[in-house]
């Protein structure tokens, strides 16, 4: 169901049914009552800003007098909050956006819950694309911060990191989950991380690491190893190995080290936490 609807006799049962799982705010208004029109516009604005948090059911009392009479509406504007088919709160007259939100926040789930639920729906899709996973990642990062870093949200964030192949971030976050929250989902993610790390430890990487141990100053070998690490979704290790060289010589290997370093940063993307961290570290060397 859309988050803003016109309530009529034809769809009222559908709205009542929807209130079993979602909160519904009924807005009673009439064109001849300017204050009710203004409040309706404010409620539409709030409903759009919080899209999905509640359903705004608009009741035009001039066209739907029976509904207004059923809910015993005495004056306009009037608003009722429905849950499980029953009015649980409401207000009459005009209210500021702050007052409306204060009332809604008493009953509605926190805004971050909406973000997390949207991300969970993305993760549940077996054919999810990388673009959608990145969308889920943004939602979960926001939800994790706004929830006060709840472990439940953190686990969904770890799941998303693993599906995107961002193993370092997944491992770091998974290590923060306390013993009390180490449920079956945690154990599942821990096993997935172990498998992903094993898969990322390729023969090519091991061979390059061994060669580099024998020739630690070989910049070309370092570049090849960084590329292999990045290909195996071990971007942090790749960047760290190159940054050690750049700290000593920004023009190492005729500038190739810096070039590959920048290419890896670009591949990770502008919003990537790891990329932003190493981009700042590089700027500290440049300036």
């Amino acid at each position: 169901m859309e988050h803003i609807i016109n309530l009529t006799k034809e769809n009222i049962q559908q709205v009542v049914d929807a209130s079993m799982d979602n909160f519904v705010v009924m807005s009673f208004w009439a064109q001849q009552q300017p204050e009710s029109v203004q409040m309706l516009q404010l409620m539409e604005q709030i409903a759009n800003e919080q899209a999905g948090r509640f359903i705004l059911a608009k009741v035009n009392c001039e066209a739907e007098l029976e509904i207004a009479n059923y809910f015993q509406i005495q004056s306009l504007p009037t608003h009722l909050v429905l849950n499980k088919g029953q009015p649980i709160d409401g207000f009459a007259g005009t209210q500021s956006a702050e007052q409306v939100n204060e009332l809604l926040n008493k009953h509605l789930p926190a805004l971050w819950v909406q973000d997390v639920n949207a991300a969970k729906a993305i993760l549940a899709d077996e054919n999810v694309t990388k673009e959608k996973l990145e969308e889920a990642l943004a939602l979960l990062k926001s939800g994790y911060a706004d929830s006060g870093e709840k472990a439940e949200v953190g686990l969904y964030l770890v799941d998303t990191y693993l599906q995107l192949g961002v193993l370092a971030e997944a491992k770091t976050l998974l290590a923060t989950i306390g013993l009390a929250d180490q449920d079956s989902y945690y154990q599942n993610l821990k096993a997935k991380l172990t498998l992903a790390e094993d898969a990322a430890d390729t023969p090519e990487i091991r061979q390059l690491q061994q060669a580099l141990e024998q020739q630690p100053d070989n910049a070309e070998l370092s570049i090849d190893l960084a590329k292999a690490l990045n290909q195996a979704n071990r971007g942090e290790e790749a960047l760290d190995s190159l940054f050690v060289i750049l700290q000593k010589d920004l023009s190492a290997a005729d500038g190739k080290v810096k070039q590959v370093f920048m290419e890896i940063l670009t591949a990770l993307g502008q919003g990537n936490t790891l990329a932003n961290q190493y981009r700042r570290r590089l700027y500290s060397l440049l300036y």
Side-chain angles (χ1 to χ4, degrees), residues 7-31:
L7 189 63
T8 66
K9 293 186 291 292
E10 287 71 28
N11 66 7
I12 188 170
Q13 187 57 52
Q14 183 183 358
V15 173
V16 171
D17 291 343
S19 75
M20 296 299 172
D21 300 312
N22 302 279
F23 284 88
V24 175
V25 178
M26 300 177 69
S27 182
F28 294 88
W29 70 286
Q31 196 65 50

Side-chain angles (χ1 to χ4, degrees), residues 140-191:
L140 288 167
K141 280 184 176 180
S142 174
Y144 186 59
D146 293 344
S147 71
E149 300 187 349
K150 282 186 175 292
E152 176 190 0
V153 185
L155 290 175
Y156 287 114
L157 187 50
V158 170
D159 197 345
T160 309
Y161 279 134
L162 288 174
Q163 291 194 50
L164 284 168
V166 187
L167 304 187
E169 297 275 12
K171 187 172 186 176
T172 300
L173 184 53
L174 200 62
T176 68
I177 304 300
L179 188 62
D181 297 301
Q182 293 180 12
D183 56 11
S184 58
Y185 188 29
Y186 167 89
Q187 298 298 337
N188 175 263
L189 294 174
K190 188 177 179 181

Side-chain angles (χ1 to χ4, degrees), residues 201-202 204-214 225 229 234 237:
D201 191 20
T202 65
E204 179 191 5
I205 290 174
R206 289 196 295 271
Q207 185 178 358
L208 286 167
Q209 287 171 331
Q210 290 169 1
L212 197 57
E213 285 177 6
Q214 297 173 2
L225 176 58
L229 288 168
R234 294 166 65 177
E237 293 176 69

Side-chain angles (χ1 to χ4, degrees), residues 32-196:
Q32 295 180 350
Q33 296 285 341
E35 288 184 349
S36 72
V37 176
Q38 292 174 1
M39 273 306 301
L40 179 64
Q41 292 171 344
L42 175 61
M43 293 304 299
E44 288 176 329
Q45 178 184 331
I46 293 173
N48 281 321
E49 289 172 352
Q50 304 182 14
R53 194 180 181 208
F54 66 92
I55 297 169
L56 177 63
K58 304 184 294 182
V59 184
N60 182 345
C61 294
E62 294 170 354
E64 302 296 340
L65 187 59
E66 288 182 38
I67 297 177
N69 288 335
Y70 177 81
F71 285 97
Q72 300 179 343
I73 303 304
Q74 303 295 320
S75 62
L76 297 178
T78 292
H79 290 79
L80 298 177
V81 179
L82 264 64
N83 183 233
K84 309 298 183 186
Q86 298 294 325
I88 59 170
D89 207 342
F91 62 89
T94 58
Q95 301 274 309
S96 66
E98 291 76 14
Q99 289 172 313
V100 172
N101 281 316
E102 184 178 348
L103 179 139
L104 294 178
N105 289 336
K106 288 196 303 183
H107 304 289
L108 274 57
L111 283 169
W112 63 263
V113 174
Q114 181 180 328
D115 288 342
V116 173
N117 286 338
K120 286 165 65 176
I122 292 174
L123 294 177
D125 183 359
E126 294 181 359
N127 300 312
V128 65
T129 63
K130 182 181 179 182
E131 289 72 19
K132 294 299 290 184
L133 282 173
E134 288 174 345
E135 180 184 328
L137 183 65
L139 290 169
L140 288 167
K141 280 184 176 180
S142 174
Y144 186 59
D146 293 344
S147 71
E149 300 187 349
K150 282 186 175 292
E152 176 190 0
V153 185
L155 290 175
Y156 287 114
L157 187 50
V158 170
D159 197 345
T160 309
Y161 279 134
L162 288 174
Q163 291 194 50
L164 284 168
V166 187
L167 304 187
E169 297 275 12
K171 187 172 186 176
T172 300
L173 184 53
L174 200 62
T176 68
I177 304 300
L179 188 62
D181 297 301
Q182 293 180 12
D183 56 11
S184 58
Y185 188 29
Y186 167 89
Q187 298 298 337
N188 175 263
L189 294 174
K190 188 177 179 181
K192 285 183 177 178
L193 175 62
T194 300
L195 290 172

Side-chain angles (χ1 to χ4, degrees), residues 240 243 247 276-285:
D240 193 59
F243 187 75
Q247 282 181 304
N276 291 338
Q277 175 189 337
Y278 275 90
R279 195 173 282 111
R280 287 193 296 270
R281 293 177 70 178
L282 177 61
Y283 289 161
S284 70
L285 296 179

